[in-house]
Amino acid sequence: MEQDKQTKQNLIECAKKEFIEKGYMKASLRTICKNAGVTTGALYFFFQDKDALFQSVVERPIQELFFVLQSHFSQELQGLDPEKGNIEDDFKAVQGILATAYKYKEEFELVLNRAQGSQYENIVDDIVELIYQHYLEIYWRMKKYRSARQLKQEDKFIVHWMAHDHIDMFVHLLTHCKDEKDARKQARNMFNYMIGGWRATIDHDII
């Protein structure tokens, strides 16, 4: 049992290196098995296929990221002040996301840049949709507080764009900052920019 556990972990580590080097599409199961010192038969004992092996490399980081997001969303909806928002809590959430992103920096860079052909090739769109649905609810509550009207199509459009923009912020930080400390420093100005845009669309009609 312990030997099987070690063999599986060794395969995952070798797979991670191969996927990072070549990307999902060009990664070779034969090379992974060779580097792990096992046969291809041994690989299929633990993993159904290449996609399942890739999943074993990136699934935990993605699950932790979704947990951070969903926990924040739940707390935000429960404690939302429609007039003031939850700025301090929002920035804490930004810091939590950055902590998760840098904890698994290689895995997230792999998913962002080299996951084409795998089940995770559209993961950014999936996260954007999750954020978009949450932002719609927040936006509607804050708009209702001020004007008691339904969201227009223009509102939904800008909220969807902001969801994309917020994800782009984290991708930019992960790509351009050498470590989490640097990312936290840069994130403060970016966060202020995001909040300014959010408040502007809430307080004024969209042209």
Side-chain angles (χ1 to χ4, degrees), residues 44-60:
Y44 287 114
F45 175 78
F46 295 106
F47 305 101
Q48 182 178 356
D49 52 26
K50 187 179 185 179
D51 202 32
L53 181 58
F54 189 80
Q55 179 181 2
S56 71
V57 174
V58 302
E59 182 177 32
R60 182 173 180 178

Side-chain angles (χ1 to χ4, degrees), residues 8-203:
K8 182 177 181 180
Q9 185 59 39
N10 193 29
L11 279 167
I12 292 173
E13 291 174 1
C14 291
K16 177 181 172 180
K17 293 178 182 179
E18 178 76 359
F19 287 134
I20 288 174
E21 180 182 346
K22 299 178 182 177
Y24 177 81
M25 294 289 287
K26 294 183 179 181
S28 167
L29 293 182
R30 187 186 298 270
T31 299
I32 293 170
C33 290
K34 179 181 178 181
N35 292 337
V38 300
T39 64
T40 53
L43 185 147
Y44 287 114
F45 175 78
F46 295 106
F47 305 101
Q48 182 178 356
D49 52 26
K50 187 179 185 179
D51 202 32
L53 181 58
F54 189 80
Q55 179 181 2
S56 71
V57 174
V58 302
E59 182 177 32
R60 182 173 180 178
I62 291 173
Q63 286 179 340
E64 288 194 20
L65 175 62
F66 272 85
F67 178 79
V68 171
L69 286 171
Q70 291 169 335
S71 295
H72 171 63
F73 291 166
S74 178
Q75 293 172 4
E76 188 171 40
L77 290 175
Q78 290 176 14
L80 179 67
D81 181 336
E83 186 172 13
K84 297 179 181 178
N86 303 311
I87 303 303
E88 292 184 3
D89 289 341
D90 288 342
F91 192 64
K92 287 180 181 178
V94 169
Q95 293 175 317
I97 293 170
L98 287 176
T100 302
Y102 277 88
K103 178 181 177 181
Y104 300 106
K105 190 174 189 294
E106 290 183 334
E107 287 83 351
F108 280 115
E109 288 179 336
L110 177 57
V111 171
L112 289 171
N113 303 316
R114 320 217 70 182
Q116 184 179 5
S118 78
Q119 62 181 295
Y120 295 101
E121 64 179 352
N122 297 314
I123 189 64
V124 171
D125 292 334
D126 294 339
I127 297 174
V128 167
E129 181 63 23
L130 177 68
I131 294 174
Y132 170 61
Q133 293 301 326
H134 174 69
Y135 283 0
L136 277 181
E137 177 65 22
I138 297 296
Y139 199 84
W140 178 81
R141 291 189 188 191
M142 298 182 82
K143 276 283 188 180
K144 184 177 180 181
Y145 178 81
R146 289 173 167 79
S147 61
R149 65 179 182 176
Q150 297 293 317
L151 291 184
K152 298 184 296 184
Q153 188 59 37
E154 296 96 306
D155 296 316
K156 295 178 180 179
F157 186 92
I158 194 67
V159 171
H160 193 257
W161 175 79
M162 285 190 291
H164 273 280
D165 206 28
H166 288 191
I167 288 299
D168 288 343
M169 178 184 79
F170 289 107
V171 173
H172 190 82
L173 288 168
L174 190 66
T175 303
H176 292 85
C177 295
K178 59 183 179 180
D179 53 34
E180 184 184 344
K181 181 180 179 180
D182 186 28
R184 282 173 177 257
K185 179 180 178 180
Q186 300 298 337
R188 186 171 296 275
N189 284 336
M190 299 172 81
F191 177 78
N192 288 334
Y193 166 81
M194 297 290 185
I195 293 299
W198 179 271
R199 284 176 168 170
T201 59
I202 290 290
D203 290 333

